[in-house]
Amino acid sequence: MSYNSTTAIQASLKKRYARERRFQWYGRLAVLTGFVFLFILLADIVSKGTPAFTQHFIRIAVNFDADKLEVSANPTEEELYAANFNGVIKQSLREMFPDVSGRKDKRALYKLISIGAEYDLRDSVLENPGLIGTKQEVWLRAHSEAGSYLKGQVDTQLDEADRRVKDNQIQWLDSLRAEGRTESRFNVIFFTAGDSREPELAGIKAALLGSAYTLLVTFFLAFPVGVLAAIYLEEFAPRNRLTDLIEININNLAAVPSIVFGLLGLAVFINFFELPRSAPLVGGMVLSLMTLPTIIITSRAAIQAVPPSIRQAALGVGASPLQTVFHHVIPVAMPGILTGSIIGMAQALGESAPLLMIGMVAFIMDVPGGVTDPSTVLPVQIFLWADSPERGFTEKTSAAIMVLMTFLIFMNALAIYLRRRFEMK
Amino acid sequence: MNTMTATMDGATDNQRESDTAEKAPLDIRDHGDVGDYETIGEPFVDNAKMSARTVNVHYGDKQAIKDVSLDIGENEVIAMIGPSGCGKSTFLRTLNRMNDIIPGCRVEGEITLDNEDIYAGNQDTVLLRARVGMVFQKPNPFPKSIYENVAYGPRIHGLAHTKAEMDGIVEKSLQRAGLFEEVKDQLDKPGTGLSGGQQQRLCIARAIAVSPEVILMDEPCSALDPIATARIEELIDELREKYTIAIVTHSMQQAARVSQRTAYFHLGKLIEVGETKEIFTNPRHQLTENYITGRFG
Ligand SMILES: Nc1ncnc2c1ncn2[C@@H]1O[C@H](COP(=O)(O)OP(=O)(O)OP(=O)(O)O)[C@@H](O)[C@H]1O
Ligand SMILES: [Mg+2]
């Protein structure tokens, strides 16, 4: 027996090991493929999105002349709000480039500066009224087209008609740059403002807060309800036809396309209960309907995976069923429950279709102050910007995706932290 | 000797010794029935702490315990022996209603603790399990610290009012289970990090920490080395003064050492029960004899 079977085993061993090696290579290949695509995707997004985090400013000598501003020498706040800062900026530009004549050229010249600059100017005068009557060198926000030229994104070889930055503007910008009158700064407004028609004034904050509010509502509705439902179904509910039916329905609900939940939200929450349209409250309610099945299913699986011996041990020393569940089963199942909830929340964060149905697609300039204020969410904002033709919005789209992914990473990190804490106990 | 099966008919002690093959037609692996059967020996005692009357247990369609009647006397240690799968654990679990949590498990018959029916509608299982503690066949410490494992029971029952009292209970329980010296410096370490034998002693400490009146032990020493086993047997001897103990064991020596009475189970039936000495020196049923003499695994 020994000699023959040993040689036979040896012969088969080689084959078995070869099979294992092959399998391992397939696995490595699969992982590698995944990584390559992920890398390409990330590299593309990051390279397109990074420029959005900087913004160019142009230094201009501004004459804060009371007459030109159409205010008195000691203006009140009201006067300043009505003051003609726009005219002052235009005049200053004309003074810097006295050669420019003709309405068309002048218009091109004015377009170097963002239309938001007059508000920046007004704010600085409001802060410091002593500026009136003086002449100051002021940094003004560049228009997004001018900015994109200064960032080097404009292909000057292109035919003039095919690009938005014209030859004369290029000439002016070059001379401004030569005089040290241009500067690239961190794009603060991207993180402090809501959406805008002007790319250089558009920010992500409204959408970011909208997403945060929506997810908060989703979490506070879906997590307790989902976990409680899972605990009840798993630990207390009798096994009968009714609970079987409920289980089947929950599983089916998880497979329902998300837009259906949006329609439901529109019909029930908005049309019937007359809750505010476009609000994170309703968005969160709709998304919690969508996430509930995920949370219930994963939580049930986590609770099921708790060894029955732990329950027996607890019941054996005289713990009540409720004590058994809350003292022993839930702590052990918690990491799994959290993982499932985070998956559900991540799905909710990336969801846009159901939110379009309840009007969270509106153009939102104001940062929402609460869950009932009209707002939009990150994926919808990304969609809106991706749809805009201006070059400035293209980079903002990628930048918004980066913000969305950072949000996601932050959420995951929180989940990992919580999981660690539960596992330690 | 009053109730004998067909196999035992006409058998005398001498004949049995000389001529066993002829009188042992029952194969232990033959899942055919032992037939209608009445237990040999005296299943009833005067000072019963717990008593079971015609208990039947079914798992779905499968009957695991058939018509078992047995008393467990106050302050006695009763050993339950029998081949694997004969229903020892099942019977033990009926005594503190741990079978309730097994889906599909049905218990019939009457079981009393201090003459009160523990399956009566008004019986509280939480209280019952606090009075009838259990050490399981497989060690199952909570995935919490060693201290917490022992302190949990006393805490939920409100047995300690101060931290010092609780520390005392924990230390004493661990000491009695023979574990304290090994773990006194790592009480905050997880109980699941201990060795199998240490875990089992931790479970014993956990069970005695709530001072139950009856302790059910399902093969408590199967994972222990001889030294720890000796410690547990000592503990059982000690506990007997105050508590009532039912112990399932596969070790004949252990049954002989620790118990006053022994019950032999076979295929869900209680074949024979009596004074431990009697059972081991002078078994009256062929199956009992076969089992304790090691003729069947
Ligand atoms: N949860 C269960 N579901 C279905 N059948 C079970 C269950 N537990 C035990 N049984 C059956 O009941 C019978 C008795 O099992 P039990 O565990 O009581 O045996 P045992 O005497 O303790 O055996 P061992 O010495 O191996 O522990 C066995 O035939 C087993 O298959
Ligand atoms: Mg058993």
Side-chain angles (χ1 to χ4, degrees):
Chain A
M1 160 181 181
S2 61
Y3 176 76
N4 276 337
S5 67
T6 308
T7 46
I9 290 168
Q10 268 170 348
S12 80
L13 265 186
K14 212 182 263 171
K15 247 195 209 160
R16 281 191 261 172
Y17 284 136
R19 201 170 296 155
E20 183 183 328
R21 265 197 304 279
R22 258 200 318 277
F23 178 80
Q24 287 204 3
W25 273 111
Y26 294 150
R28 284 187 197 123
L29 215 65
V31 173
L32 191 74
T33 318
F35 261 101
V36 166
F37 279 108
L38 186 70
F39 181 78
I40 293 174
L41 186 75
L42 284 181
D44 180 59
I45 289 169
V46 170
S47 68
K48 277 195 191 139
T50 322
F53 294 109
T54 59
Q55 192 169 44
H56 274 85
F57 280 70
I58 297 173
R59 185 161 52 98
I60 283 172
V62 176
N63 195 353
F64 290 94
D65 184 49
D67 285 349
K68 286 273 155 25
L69 286 168
E70 299 160 12
V71 294
S72 57
N74 263 323
T76 60
E77 243 178 62
E78 266 159 69
E79 276 182 288
L80 283 176
Y81 273 108
N84 184 10
F85 285 104
N86 192 15
V88 169
I89 292 172
K90 284 179 177 167
Q91 201 206 349
S92 309
L93 280 168
R94 279 200 306 274
E95 279 166 15
M96 292 196 67
F97 296 97
D99 308 344
V100 179
S101 60
R103 274 182 55 187
K104 209 173 148 220
D105 280 0
K106 278 184 188 162
R107 201 145 3 108
L109 179 64
Y110 303 153
K111 262 198 82 179
L112 294 183
I113 301 295
S114 163
I115 60 154
E118 56 174 302
Y119 305 111
D120 295 338
L121 217 52
R122 181 192 66 202
D123 289 346
S124 52
V125 174
L126 277 171
E127 213 169 273
N128 181 8
L131 289 173
I132 300 284
T134 64
K135 194 167 178 177
Q136 303 279 342
E137 294 279 321
V138 183
W139 287 102
L140 293 177
R141 203 180 301 279
H143 189 275
S144 78
E145 301 297 351
S148 87
Y149 172 74
L150 291 171
K151 282 178 192 169
Q153 292 166 337
V154 175
D155 182 4
T156 48
Q157 305 301 314
L158 227 62
D159 198 46
E160 192 181 8
D162 291 339
R163 53 183 146 83
R164 285 166 172 262
V165 189
K166 305 301 177 193
D167 285 345
N168 51 1
Q169 287 178 314
I170 289 175
Q171 207 185 324
W172 299 322
L173 286 169
D174 283 343
S175 77
L176 282 170
R177 181 148 56 189
E179 291 171 42
R181 286 180 172 276
T182 64
E183 188 178 273
S184 167
R185 296 188 188 169
F186 179 69
N187 188 353
V188 178
I189 208 166
F190 184 65
F191 295 99
T192 56
D195 200 3
S196 166
R197 302 259 179 245
E198 308 301 323
E200 76 273 12
L201 298 176
I204 195 82
K205 191 177 176 191
L208 190 63
L209 272 181
S211 268
Y213 285 133
T214 308
L215 279 191
L216 271 183
V217 173
T218 308
F219 181 80
F220 280 108
L221 285 177
F223 185 75
V225 174
V227 173
L228 284 179
I231 293 172
Y232 177 73
L233 287 173
E234 209 45 59
E235 297 284 331
F236 296 100
R239 294 260 181 278
N240 56 28
R241 220 168 258 199
L242 182 68
T243 45
D244 282 350
L245 195 74
I246 290 175
E247 175 160 1
I248 291 169
N249 274 307
I250 290 173
N251 290 343
N252 284 340
L253 223 50
V256 168
S258 57
I259 196 152
V260 176
F261 290 105
L263 281 168
L264 182 89
L266 179 65
V268 177
F269 299 142
I270 294 183
N271 291 345
F272 187 75
F273 287 109
E274 301 189 337
L275 290 172
R277 205 169 259 280
S278 311
L281 177 67
V282 180
M285 285 161 80
V286 168
L287 291 181
S288 62
L289 288 181
M290 195 195 85
T291 1
L292 256 181
T294 312
I295 294 184
I296 294 178
I297 292 170
T298 49
S299 300
R300 286 187 70 171
I303 291 170
Q304 242 166 35
V306 175
S309 65
I310 292 180
R311 291 184 186 84
Q312 285 169 14
L315 292 171
V317 293
S320 70
L322 195 70
Q323 286 172 326
T324 304
V325 169
F326 280 94
H327 296 167
H328 300 285
V329 177
I330 298 302
V332 176
M334 209 53 186
I337 293 176
L338 282 177
T339 309
S341 303
I342 285 299
I343 292 172
M345 297 299 287
Q347 272 174 0
L349 176 64
E351 199 57 68
S352 54
L355 300 181
L356 302 184
M357 301 304 304
I358 57 152
M360 288 188 86
V361 68
F363 175 73
I364 307 292
M365 293 179 68
D366 297 323
V367 174
V371 293
T372 51
D373 288 354
S375 53
T376 187
V377 291
L378 286 169
V380 174
Q381 186 68 74
I382 290 167
F383 168 75
L384 287 174
W385 281 347
D387 222 24
S388 306
E390 286 94 337
R391 152 123 225 156
F393 282 125
T394 319
E395 60 181 36
K396 289 224 154 36
T397 308
S398 296
I401 294 173
M402 286 165 73
V403 171
L404 179 68
M405 293 206 290
T406 313
F407 198 129
L408 206 64
I409 290 170
F410 178 74
M411 255 167 61
N412 274 311
L414 188 74
I416 290 170
Y417 167 76
L418 288 174
R419 206 153 54 205
R420 287 265 160 79
R421 282 204 42 184
F422 272 104
E423 273 165 0
M424 260 169 8
K425 273 193 200 157
Chain B
M1 278 297 192
N2 44 359
T3 45
M4 288 192 181
T5 59
T7 41
M8 293 293 288
D9 268 345
T12 68
D13 286 351
N14 288 344
Q15 270 176 318
R16 211 191 308 149
E17 256 160 29
S18 57
D19 204 5
T20 33
E22 205 179 276
K23 283 164 284 145
L26 280 177
D27 186 346
I28 210 146
R29 278 165 246 287
D30 172 13
H31 277 250
D33 236 294
V34 219
D36 270 341
Y37 184 78
E38 251 180 88
T39 306
I40 297 181
E42 188 45 75
F44 309 124
V45 295
D46 295 336
N47 58 340
K49 178 76 182 169
M50 298 196 79
S51 51
R53 292 292 177 273
T54 53
V55 171
N56 286 286
V57 182
H58 297 260
Y59 292 109
D61 307 331
K62 190 172 181 264
Q63 185 158 14
I65 291 289
K66 292 167 196 161
D67 280 335
V68 170
S69 296
L70 180 65
D71 278 353
I72 301 173
E74 186 106 45
N75 297 348
E76 89 170 352
V77 177
I78 183 165
M80 296 174 185
I81 58 172
S84 188
C86 69
K88 305 179 297 291
S89 299
T90 303
F91 181 70
L92 207 63
R93 282 198 299 264
T94 61
L95 298 176
N96 69 345
R97 297 188 56 173
M98 282 307 281
N99 280 328
D100 290 15
I101 59 169
I102 299 174
C105 181
R106 265 182 306 125
V107 179
E108 289 154 6
E110 191 191 49
I111 298 175
T112 61
L113 171 66
D114 288 339
N115 294 320
E116 274 176 48
D117 185 359
I118 63 170
Y119 282 85
N122 59 357
Q123 178 66 51
D124 193 306
T125 51
V126 171
L127 180 63
L128 172 69
R129 289 178 192 143
R131 292 174 66 192
V132 184
M134 185 155 198
V135 178
F136 294 84
Q137 190 162 356
K138 281 194 219 106
N140 55 353
F142 298 131
K144 296 178 191 282
S145 71
I146 293 172
Y147 184 94
E148 195 44 41
N149 259 283
V150 183
Y152 181 70
R155 176 164 317 125
I156 58 171
H157 296 307
L159 301 185
H161 300 291
T162 62
K163 175 91 174 67
E165 257 176 58
M166 184 62 88
D167 289 350
I169 293 179
V170 171
E171 182 178 338
K172 194 163 142 237
S173 307
L174 285 171
Q175 226 145 26
R176 298 177 83 176
L179 187 61
F180 188 69
E181 288 305 315
E182 288 159 64
V183 300
K184 63 182 173 195
D185 300 323
Q186 38 167 339
L187 289 178
D188 55 340
K189 296 274 158 54
T192 39
L194 297 172
S195 79
Q198 288 174 323
Q199 287 186 13
Q200 189 60 302
R201 278 178 283 159
L202 180 61
C203 293
I204 292 171
R206 180 178 66 193
I208 59 181
V210 289
S211 314
E213 295 162 39
V214 181
I215 303 176
L216 312 174
M217 294 182 161
D218 198 345
E219 293 181 45
C221 301
S222 57
L224 301 190
D225 66 13
I227 300 167
T229 303
R231 180 74 200 83
I232 298 302
E233 288 178 6
E234 237 172 78
L235 168 71
I236 292 172
D237 251 0
E238 245 171 69
L239 291 174
R240 183 161 62 93
E241 287 163 26
K242 282 205 270 167
Y243 308 107
T244 301
I245 297 167
I247 178 170
V248 170
T249 176
H250 277 300
S251 153
M252 299 306 123
Q253 292 88 338
Q254 181 167 61
R257 277 194 301 261
V258 301
S259 71
Q260 285 77 57
R261 289 204 305 149
T262 297
Y264 174 70
F265 287 79
H266 182 93
L267 288 178
K269 294 201 166 100
L270 178 55
I271 300 295
E272 183 170 351
V273 55
E275 297 283 319
T276 299
K277 248 184 278 151
E278 274 296 300
I279 296 274
F280 280 99
T281 53
N282 194 13
R284 281 151 62 189
H285 195 290
Q286 188 65 61
L287 285 168
T288 318
E289 181 179 328
N290 288 348
Y291 184 73
I292 62 175
T293 54
R295 242 175 286 250
F296 302 111

